[in-house]
Amino acid sequence: MPRNPQEAEGGKKAADICREMGVSAQAFYSWKRRFAGLGLTELRELRQLREENRKLKTLVADLTLDKHILREVLSKKA
């Protein structure tokens, strides 16, 4: 999404914004469709929630791996 969402709404051409950001027009319009109604605070909250979700998924994956390793060790001892 443009650093300043009003750039596209303020008359700046989408092609210019895409060139500055280094993204395709398809990505620009996809982002615009997804995030058009969100304000800056909602976008920040969404970013924070996604980051927290990524960290939690990593934590769950690590704990699941530890659990499988412990089960394997216990089954070999028995």
Coordinates of all heavy atoms in Angstrom, one line a residue:
M1 N 0.9 -1.2 0.0 CA 0.0 0.0 0.0 C 0.9 1.2 0.0 O 2.0 1.2 0.6 CB -0.8 -0.1 1.3 CG -2.2 0.6 1.3 SD -3.2 0.2 -0.1 CE -4.3 1.6 0.0
P2 N 0.5 2.3 -0.6 CA 1.3 3.5 -0.6 C 1.6 4.0 0.8 O 0.7 3.8 1.7 CB 0.4 4.5 -1.4 CG -0.5 3.7 -2.2 CD -0.7 2.5 -1.4
R3 N 2.7 4.5 1.0 CA 3.1 5.0 2.3 C 2.0 6.0 2.8 O 1.7 6.1 4.0 CB 4.4 5.7 2.3 CG 5.5 4.7 2.2 CD 6.9 5.4 2.0 NE 7.8 4.5 1.3 CZ 7.8 4.4 0.0 NH1 7.1 5.2 -0.8 NH2 8.7 3.6 -0.6
N4 N 1.5 6.8 1.9 CA 0.4 7.7 2.2 C -0.8 7.3 1.4 O -0.8 7.6 0.2 CB 0.9 9.1 1.9 CG -0.2 10.2 2.2 OD1 -1.3 9.8 2.6 ND2 0.1 11.4 2.0
P5 N -1.8 6.7 2.0 CA -2.9 6.1 1.2 C -3.6 7.2 0.4 O -4.3 6.9 -0.6 CB -3.9 5.6 2.2 CG -3.0 5.3 3.4 CD -1.9 6.3 3.4
Q6 N -3.5 8.5 0.8 CA -4.2 9.5 0.0 C -3.5 9.9 -1.3 O -4.1 10.6 -2.1 CB -4.3 10.8 0.9 CG -5.4 10.6 2.0 CD -4.9 9.8 3.2 OE1 -3.7 9.7 3.5 NE2 -5.8 9.1 3.8
E7 N -2.3 9.4 -1.5 CA -1.6 9.7 -2.7 C -2.4 9.3 -3.9 O -2.6 10.1 -4.9 CB -0.3 8.9 -2.8 CG 0.8 9.5 -1.9 CD 2.1 8.7 -2.0 OE1 2.2 7.8 -2.9 OE2 3.0 8.9 -1.1
A8 N -3.0 8.1 -3.9 CA -3.8 7.6 -5.1 C -5.1 8.4 -5.1 O -5.6 8.7 -6.2 CB -4.0 6.1 -5.0
E9 N -5.7 8.7 -4.0 CA -6.9 9.4 -4.0 C -6.8 10.9 -4.3 O -7.7 11.5 -4.7 CB -7.6 9.2 -2.6 CG -8.0 7.8 -2.4 CD -8.3 7.5 -0.9 OE1 -8.4 8.4 -0.1 OE2 -8.6 6.3 -0.6
G10 N -5.6 11.4 -4.1 CA -5.3 12.8 -4.3 C -4.9 13.1 -5.7 O -4.5 14.3 -6.0
G11 N -5.1 12.2 -6.6 CA -4.8 12.5 -8.0 C -3.5 12.0 -8.5 O -3.2 12.1 -9.7
K12 N -2.7 11.4 -7.7 CA -1.4 10.9 -8.2 C -1.7 9.6 -9.0 O -2.5 8.8 -8.5 CB -0.5 10.6 -7.0 CG 0.9 10.3 -7.4 CD 1.8 10.4 -6.2 CE 3.3 10.3 -6.6 NZ 4.2 10.3 -5.4
K13 N -1.1 9.4 -10.1 CA -1.4 8.3 -10.9 C -0.8 7.0 -10.3 O 0.2 7.0 -9.7 CB -0.7 8.5 -12.3 CG -1.3 9.6 -13.1 CD -0.7 9.7 -14.5 CE -1.3 10.8 -15.2 NZ -0.8 10.9 -16.6
A14 N -1.7 5.9 -10.5 CA -1.3 4.6 -9.9 C 0.0 4.1 -10.5 O 0.8 3.6 -9.8 CB -2.4 3.6 -10.2
A15 N 0.3 4.4 -11.8 CA 1.5 3.9 -12.4 C 2.7 4.6 -11.7 O 3.7 3.9 -11.5 CB 1.5 4.3 -13.9
D16 N 2.6 5.9 -11.4 CA 3.7 6.6 -10.7 C 3.9 6.0 -9.3 O 5.1 5.8 -8.9 CB 3.4 8.1 -10.6 CG 3.3 8.8 -12.0 OD1 4.0 8.2 -12.9 OD2 2.7 9.8 -12.1
I17 N 2.9 5.7 -8.6 CA 3.0 5.2 -7.2 C 3.6 3.8 -7.3 O 4.5 3.5 -6.5 CB 1.6 5.1 -6.6 CG1 1.1 6.5 -6.3 CG2 1.7 4.3 -5.2 CD1 -0.4 6.5 -5.9
C18 N 3.2 3.0 -8.3 CA 3.8 1.6 -8.5 C 5.3 1.7 -8.8 O 6.0 0.9 -8.2 CB 3.0 0.9 -9.6 SG 1.3 0.5 -9.2
R19 N 5.6 2.6 -9.6 CA 7.0 2.8 -10.0 C 7.9 3.2 -8.8 O 8.9 2.6 -8.6 CB 7.2 3.8 -11.1 CG 8.5 3.8 -11.8 CD 8.6 4.7 -13.0 NE 7.6 5.7 -13.2 CZ 6.5 5.6 -14.0 NH1 6.3 4.5 -14.6 NH2 5.6 6.6 -14.1
E20 N 7.4 4.1 -8.0 CA 8.1 4.6 -6.8 C 8.3 3.4 -5.8 O 9.3 3.3 -5.1 CB 7.3 5.7 -6.1 CG 7.4 7.0 -6.9 CD 6.5 8.1 -6.3 OE1 6.1 7.9 -5.1 OE2 6.3 9.1 -6.9
M21 N 7.2 2.6 -5.6 CA 7.2 1.5 -4.7 C 7.9 0.3 -5.2 O 8.2 -0.6 -4.4 CB 5.8 1.2 -4.2 CG 5.2 2.3 -3.4 SD 3.5 1.9 -3.0 CE 3.8 0.5 -1.9
G22 N 8.0 0.2 -6.5 CA 8.6 -1.0 -7.1 C 7.7 -2.2 -7.1 O 8.1 -3.4 -6.9
V23 N 6.4 -2.0 -7.2 CA 5.4 -3.1 -7.2 C 4.6 -3.0 -8.6 O 4.6 -2.0 -9.3 CB 4.4 -3.0 -6.1 CG1 5.1 -3.1 -4.8 CG2 3.6 -1.7 -6.1
S24 N 4.0 -4.1 -8.9 CA 3.2 -4.2 -10.1 C 1.8 -3.5 -9.9 O 1.4 -3.3 -8.7 CB 2.9 -5.6 -10.5 OG 2.0 -6.2 -9.6
A25 N 1.2 -3.1 -11.0 CA -0.1 -2.5 -10.9 C -1.1 -3.4 -10.3 O -2.0 -3.0 -9.5 CB -0.6 -2.0 -12.2
Q26 N -1.0 -4.7 -10.6 CA -1.9 -5.7 -10.0 C -1.8 -5.8 -8.5 O -2.8 -5.8 -7.8 CB -1.5 -7.1 -10.6 CG -2.4 -8.2 -10.2 CD -2.0 -9.5 -10.8 OE1 -1.0 -9.7 -11.5 NE2 -2.9 -10.5 -10.6
A27 N -0.6 -5.7 -8.0 CA -0.4 -5.7 -6.5 C -1.0 -4.4 -5.9 O -1.7 -4.5 -4.9 CB 1.1 -5.8 -6.2
F28 N -0.8 -3.3 -6.6 CA -1.3 -2.0 -6.1 C -2.8 -2.1 -6.0 O -3.4 -1.8 -4.9 CB -0.9 -0.9 -7.0 CG -1.6 0.4 -6.7 CD1 -1.1 1.2 -5.7 CD2 -2.7 0.8 -7.4 CE1 -1.7 2.4 -5.3 CE2 -3.3 2.0 -7.1 CZ -2.8 2.8 -6.0
Y29 N -3.5 -2.6 -7.0 CA -5.0 -2.6 -7.0 C -5.5 -3.7 -6.0 O -6.6 -3.5 -5.4 CB -5.5 -2.8 -8.4 CG -5.4 -1.5 -9.2 CD1 -4.5 -1.5 -10.3 CD2 -6.0 -0.4 -8.9 CE1 -4.4 -0.3 -11.0 CE2 -5.9 0.8 -9.6 CZ -5.0 0.8 -10.7 OH -4.9 2.0 -11.4
S30 N -4.7 -4.7 -5.9 CA -5.1 -5.8 -4.9 C -5.1 -5.2 -3.5 O -6.0 -5.4 -2.7 CB -4.2 -7.0 -5.0 OG -4.4 -7.9 -4.0
W31 N -4.0 -4.4 -3.2 CA -3.9 -3.8 -1.9 C -5.0 -2.8 -1.7 O -5.5 -2.7 -0.6 CB -2.5 -3.1 -1.7 CG -1.4 -4.1 -1.6 CD1 -1.4 -5.4 -1.3 CD2 0.0 -3.8 -1.9 NE1 -0.1 -5.9 -1.3 CE2 0.7 -4.9 -1.7 CE3 0.7 -2.6 -2.3 CZ2 2.1 -5.0 -1.9 CZ3 2.0 -2.7 -2.5 CH2 2.7 -3.9 -2.3
K32 N -5.2 -2.0 -2.7 CA -6.2 -1.0 -2.6 C -7.6 -1.6 -2.3 O -8.3 -1.1 -1.5 CB -6.3 -0.2 -3.9 CG -7.2 1.0 -3.9 CD -7.1 1.8 -5.1 CE -8.1 3.0 -5.1 NZ -8.1 3.8 -6.3
R33 N -7.9 -2.7 -3.0 CA -9.2 -3.3 -2.8 C -9.3 -3.9 -1.3 O -10.3 -3.8 -0.7 CB -9.4 -4.5 -3.8 CG -10.7 -5.1 -3.8 CD -10.9 -6.1 -4.9 NE -9.9 -7.1 -5.0 CZ -8.9 -7.2 -5.9 NH1 -8.9 -6.3 -6.9 NH2 -8.0 -8.1 -6.0
R34 N -8.2 -4.4 -0.8 CA -8.2 -5.0 0.5 C -8.2 -4.0 1.6 O -8.9 -4.2 2.6 CB -6.9 -5.9 0.7 CG -7.0 -7.3 0.3 CD -5.7 -7.9 0.3 NE -5.4 -8.7 1.4 CZ -4.2 -9.3 1.6 NH1 -3.3 -9.2 0.8 NH2 -4.0 -10.0 2.7
F35 N -7.5 -2.9 1.5 CA -7.3 -2.0 2.6 C -7.9 -0.6 2.4 O -7.7 0.3 3.1 CB -5.8 -1.8 2.8 CG -5.1 -3.1 3.1 CD1 -4.1 -3.5 2.2 CD2 -5.3 -3.8 4.2 CE1 -3.4 -4.7 2.4 CE2 -4.7 -5.0 4.4 CZ -3.7 -5.5 3.5
A36 N -8.8 -0.5 1.4 CA -9.4 0.8 1.0 C -10.1 1.5 2.2 O -9.9 2.7 2.4 CB -10.3 0.7 -0.1
G37 N -10.9 0.8 3.0 CA -11.6 1.4 4.0 C -10.9 1.6 5.4 O -11.5 2.1 6.3
L38 N -9.7 1.1 5.5 CA -9.0 1.1 6.8 C -8.3 2.4 7.0 O -7.6 2.9 6.0 CB -8.0 -0.1 6.8 CG -8.7 -1.5 6.8 CD1 -7.6 -2.5 6.8 CD2 -9.6 -1.7 7.9
G39 N -8.3 2.9 8.2 CA -7.5 4.0 8.6 C -6.1 3.6 9.0 O -5.8 2.4 9.1
L40 N -5.3 4.6 9.3 CA -3.9 4.4 9.6 C -3.8 3.5 10.9 O -3.0 2.6 11.0 CB -3.2 5.7 9.8 CG -1.7 5.6 9.9 CD1 -1.1 4.9 8.6 CD2 -1.1 7.0 10.0
T41 N -4.6 3.8 11.9 CA -4.6 3.0 13.2 C -5.0 1.6 12.9 O -4.4 0.7 13.5 CB -5.5 3.6 14.2 OG1 -6.8 3.8 13.8 CG2 -5.0 5.0 14.7
E42 N -6.0 1.4 12.1 CA -6.4 0.0 11.8 C -5.3 -0.8 11.0 O -5.1 -2.0 11.3 CB -7.7 -0.1 11.0 CG -8.9 0.3 11.8 CD -9.2 1.8 11.7 OE1 -8.5 2.6 11.0 OE2 -10.2 2.3 12.3
L43 N -4.6 -0.1 10.1 CA -3.5 -0.7 9.4 C -2.4 -1.1 10.3 O -1.8 -2.2 10.2 CB -3.0 0.2 8.3 CG -4.0 0.3 7.1 CD1 -3.5 1.4 6.1 CD2 -4.2 -1.0 6.4
R44 N -2.1 -0.2 11.2 CA -1.0 -0.5 12.2 C -1.4 -1.7 13.1 O -0.6 -2.6 13.3 CB -0.7 0.7 13.1 CG 0.1 1.8 12.4 CD 0.5 2.9 13.3 NE 1.2 3.9 12.6 CZ 1.0 5.2 12.7 NH1 0.2 5.6 13.6 NH2 1.7 6.1 12.0
E45 N -2.6 -1.7 13.5 CA -3.1 -2.8 14.4 C -3.1 -4.1 13.6 O -2.6 -5.2 14.1 CB -4.5 -2.5 14.9 CG -5.0 -3.6 15.8 CD -6.4 -3.3 16.3 OE1 -7.0 -2.2 16.0 OE2 -7.0 -4.1 17.0
L46 N -3.5 -4.1 12.4 CA -3.5 -5.3 11.5 C -2.0 -5.8 11.3 O -1.8 -7.0 11.5 CB -4.1 -5.0 10.1 CG -4.1 -6.1 9.1 CD1 -4.9 -7.3 9.6 CD2 -4.7 -5.6 7.8
R47 N -1.1 -4.9 11.1 CA 0.3 -5.3 11.0 C 0.8 -5.9 12.3 O 1.5 -6.9 12.3 CB 1.2 -4.1 10.6 CG 2.6 -4.4 10.4 CD 3.5 -3.2 10.0 NE 3.0 -2.7 8.7 CZ 3.1 -1.5 8.3 NH1 3.6 -0.6 9.2 NH2 2.7 -1.1 7.2
Q48 N 0.5 -5.3 13.4 CA 0.9 -5.8 14.7 C 0.3 -7.2 15.0 O 1.0 -8.1 15.4 CB 0.6 -4.9 15.8 CG 1.4 -3.6 15.9 CD 0.9 -2.6 16.9 OE1 -0.2 -2.7 17.4 NE2 1.7 -1.6 17.2
L49 N -1.0 -7.4 14.6 CA -1.6 -8.7 14.8 C -1.0 -9.7 14.0 O -0.8 -10.9 14.4 CB -3.1 -8.5 14.6 CG -3.9 -7.8 15.6 CD1 -5.3 -7.6 15.2 CD2 -3.9 -8.5 17.0
R50 N -0.7 -9.4 12.7 CA -0.1 -10.4 11.8 C 1.3 -10.8 12.3 O 1.7 -11.9 12.2 CB 0.0 -9.8 10.4 CG -1.3 -9.8 9.7 CD -1.3 -9.4 8.3 NE -2.6 -9.5 7.7 CZ -2.8 -9.1 6.5 NH1 -1.9 -8.5 5.8 NH2 -4.0 -9.2 6.0
E51 N 2.1 -9.8 12.8 CA 3.4 -10.1 13.4 C 3.3 -11.0 14.6 O 4.0 -12.0 14.7 CB 4.2 -8.8 13.7 CG 5.5 -9.0 14.3 CD 6.5 -9.7 13.4 OE1 6.3 -9.7 12.2 OE2 7.5 -10.3 13.9
E52 N 2.3 -10.7 15.5 CA 2.1 -11.5 16.7 C 1.7 -12.9 16.3 O 2.2 -13.9 16.8 CB 1.1 -10.9 17.6 CG 0.8 -11.6 18.9 CD -0.2 -11.0 19.7 OE1 -0.7 -9.9 19.4 OE2 -0.6 -11.6 20.8
N53 N 0.8 -13.0 15.3 CA 0.4 -14.3 14.8 C 1.5 -15.2 14.2 O 1.6 -16.4 14.5 CB -0.7 -14.1 13.8 CG -1.4 -15.4 13.4 OD1 -1.7 -16.2 14.3 ND2 -1.8 -15.5 12.2
R54 N 2.4 -14.5 13.5 CA 3.6 -15.2 12.9 C 4.5 -15.7 14.1 O 4.9 -16.9 14.0 CB 4.4 -14.2 12.1 CG 5.6 -14.9 11.4 CD 6.5 -13.9 10.7 NE 7.1 -13.0 11.7 CZ 8.2 -13.3 12.5 NH1 8.6 -14.6 12.5 NH2 8.7 -12.5 13.4
K55 N 4.7 -14.9 15.1 CA 5.5 -15.4 16.2 C 4.9 -16.5 17.0 O 5.5 -17.5 17.3 CB 5.7 -14.2 17.2 CG 6.7 -13.2 16.7 CD 6.8 -12.0 17.7 CE 7.7 -10.9 17.2 NZ 7.8 -9.8 18.1
L56 N 3.6 -16.5 17.1 CA 2.9 -17.6 17.8 C 2.9 -18.8 17.0 O 3.1 -19.9 17.6 CB 1.4 -17.1 18.1 CG 1.2 -16.1 19.2 CD1 -0.2 -15.6 19.2 CD2 1.7 -16.6 20.6
K57 N 2.8 -18.7 15.7 CA 2.8 -19.9 14.9 C 4.2 -20.6 15.0 O 4.3 -21.8 15.0 CB 2.5 -19.6 13.4 CG 1.0 -19.4 13.2 CD 0.8 -19.1 11.7 CE -0.7 -18.9 11.4 NZ -1.0 -18.7 10.0
T58 N 5.3 -19.7 15.0 CA 6.6 -20.2 15.1 C 6.8 -21.0 16.5 O 7.4 -22.0 16.6 CB 7.6 -19.1 15.0 OG1 7.5 -18.5 13.8 CG2 9.1 -19.6 15.1
L59 N 6.3 -20.3 17.5 CA 6.3 -20.9 18.9 C 5.6 -22.3 18.9 O 6.1 -23.3 19.4 CB 5.7 -20.0 19.9 CG 5.7 -20.4 21.3 CD1 7.2 -20.5 21.8 CD2 5.0 -19.4 22.2
V60 N 4.4 -22.4 18.3 CA 3.7 -23.6 18.3 C 4.5 -24.7 17.5 O 4.5 -25.8 17.9 CB 2.3 -23.4 17.7 CG1 1.6 -24.7 17.4 CG2 1.4 -22.6 18.7
A61 N 5.0 -24.3 16.4 CA 5.8 -25.2 15.6 C 7.0 -25.8 16.4 O 7.3 -27.0 16.4 CB 6.3 -24.6 14.3
D62 N 7.7 -24.9 17.1 CA 8.8 -25.3 17.9 C 8.4 -26.3 19.0 O 9.1 -27.3 19.3 CB 9.6 -24.1 18.5 CG 10.3 -23.3 17.5 OD1 10.5 -23.8 16.4 OD2 10.6 -22.1 17.8
L63 N 7.3 -25.9 19.7 CA 6.8 -26.8 20.8 C 6.4 -28.1 20.3 O 6.6 -29.2 20.9 CB 5.7 -26.1 21.6 CG 6.2 -24.9 22.4 CD1 5.0 -24.2 23.0 CD2 7.1 -25.3 23.5
T64 N 5.7 -28.2 19.1 CA 5.3 -29.4 18.5 C 6.5 -30.3 18.2 O 6.5 -31.5 18.4 CB 4.4 -29.1 17.3 OG1 3.3 -28.3 17.6 CG2 3.9 -30.4 16.6
L65 N 7.5 -29.7 17.6 CA 8.7 -30.4 17.3 C 9.4 -31.0 18.6 O 9.7 -32.2 18.6 CB 9.7 -29.5 16.6 CG 11.0 -30.2 16.2 CD1 10.8 -31.3 15.2 CD2 11.9 -29.1 15.5
D66 N 9.4 -30.2 19.6 CA 10.0 -30.7 20.9 C 9.1 -31.8 21.5 O 9.7 -32.8 22.0 CB 10.0 -29.5 22.0 CG 11.0 -28.5 21.7 OD1 11.9 -28.7 20.8 OD2 10.9 -27.4 22.3
K67 N 7.8 -31.8 21.3 CA 7.0 -32.8 21.8 C 7.2 -34.1 21.1 O 7.3 -35.2 21.7 CB 5.5 -32.4 21.6 CG 4.5 -33.4 22.0 CD 3.1 -32.9 21.7 CE 2.0 -33.9 21.8 NZ 0.7 -33.5 21.4
H68 N 7.4 -34.0 19.7 CA 7.6 -35.2 18.9 C 9.0 -35.8 19.3 O 9.1 -37.1 19.4 CB 7.6 -34.9 17.4 CG 6.2 -34.7 16.9 ND1 5.3 -35.7 16.8 CD2 5.5 -33.6 16.6 CE1 4.1 -35.2 16.4 NE2 4.3 -33.9 16.2
I69 N 10.0 -35.0 19.5 CA 11.3 -35.5 19.9 C 11.3 -36.2 21.2 O 11.8 -37.3 21.4 CB 12.3 -34.3 19.9 CG1 12.6 -33.8 18.5 CG2 13.6 -34.8 20.6 CD1 13.4 -32.6 18.4
L70 N 10.6 -35.6 22.2 CA 10.5 -36.3 23.5 C 9.7 -37.6 23.4 O 10.1 -38.6 24.1 CB 9.7 -35.3 24.5 CG 10.6 -34.1 24.9 CD1 9.7 -33.2 25.7 CD2 11.8 -34.5 25.8
R71 N 8.7 -37.6 22.6 CA 7.9 -38.9 22.5 C 8.8 -40.0 21.9 O 8.8 -41.1 22.2 CB 6.7 -38.7 21.6 CG 5.5 -38.2 22.3 CD 4.3 -38.2 21.4 NE 3.2 -37.7 22.2 CZ 2.0 -37.4 21.6 NH1 1.9 -37.6 20.3 NH2 1.0 -37.0 22.3
E72 N 9.6 -39.6 20.9 CA 10.5 -40.5 20.2 C 11.6 -41.0 21.2 O 11.9 -42.2 21.2 CB 11.2 -39.8 19.1 CG 11.8 -40.7 18.0 CD 12.3 -40.0 16.8 OE1 11.5 -39.3 16.2 OE2 13.5 -40.1 16.5
V73 N 12.1 -40.2 22.0 CA 13.1 -40.6 23.0 C 12.5 -41.5 24.1 O 13.1 -42.5 24.4 CB 13.7 -39.3 23.7 CG1 14.6 -39.7 24.9 CG2 14.6 -38.5 22.7
L74 N 11.3 -41.2 24.5 CA 10.6 -42.0 25.5 C 10.3 -43.4 24.9 O 10.4 -44.4 25.6 CB 9.4 -41.4 26.0 CG 9.6 -40.2 27.0 CD1 8.3 -39.5 27.3 CD2 10.3 -40.6 28.2
S75 N 9.9 -43.4 23.6 CA 9.5 -44.7 23.0 C 10.8 -45.6 22.9 O 10.7 -46.8 22.9 CB 8.8 -44.5 21.7 OG 9.7 -44.0 20.8
K76 N 11.9 -45.0 22.6 CA 13.2 -45.8 22.5 C 13.6 -46.4 23.8 O 14.2 -47.4 23.9 CB 14.2 -45.0 21.9 CG 14.0 -44.7 20.4 CD 15.1 -43.9 19.8 CE 14.9 -43.6 18.3 NZ 15.9 -42.8 17.7
K77 N 13.4 -45.6 24.9 CA 13.8 -46.1 26.3 C 12.9 -47.2 26.7 O 13.3 -48.1 27.5 CB 13.7 -45.0 27.3 CG 14.9 -44.0 27.1 CD 14.9 -43.0 28.2 CE 16.1 -42.1 28.1 NZ 16.1 -41.1 29.2
A78 N 11.6 -47.3 26.3 CA 10.7 -48.3 26.8 C 10.8 -49.6 26.1 O 11.6 -50.2 25.6 CB 9.3 -47.8 26.5

